[in-house]
Amino acid sequence: MYAVIETGGKQYTVKAGDKVKVEKLDVNEGENVTFDKVLFVGGDAVKIGKPYVEGAKVEGKVLAQAKDKKVIVYKYKSKKNERKKKGHRQPFTLVEIENII
């Protein structure tokens, strides 16, 4: 059984036991989190939402709150002697999917 969930403006295909990196959630490590915005549930009986499946939930456990690898942003304008270098580390939450209801 698998599901498509929406969180942080993105969609993820998940199964029980998967570890998923999602946009930062305001939940502490070790706590449980429930995703209510389920777009699709597949398996024996397929359920498609309009836009969300009623009564469907995906439960998970927060494994870590961390930052991703650094992304370098470099702006350059030729013939103007203009250069700007900037780094960014995007925060994320690592969630282990436990159950699809």
Side-chain angles (χ1 to χ4, degrees), residues 3 6-9 19-20 23 25-27 29-31 42 55 59 61 63 73 77 87-89 97:
E6 180 183 324
T7 180
K19 293 179 183 173
V20 182
E23 291 290 321
L25 301 172
D26 192 23
V27 181
E29 290 183 23
E31 291 185 10
E59 296 173 343
K61 184 176 183 179
L63 298 178
V73 179
K77 293 191 178 176
H88 175 74
R89 292 184 69 192
I97 304 300

Side-chain angles (χ1 to χ4, degrees), residues 3-4 11 21 57 61 63 72 94:
V4 177
Q11 297 175 1
K21 262 193 210 181
K57 289 190 275 185
K61 184 176 183 179
L63 298 178
I72 303 297
L94 184 64

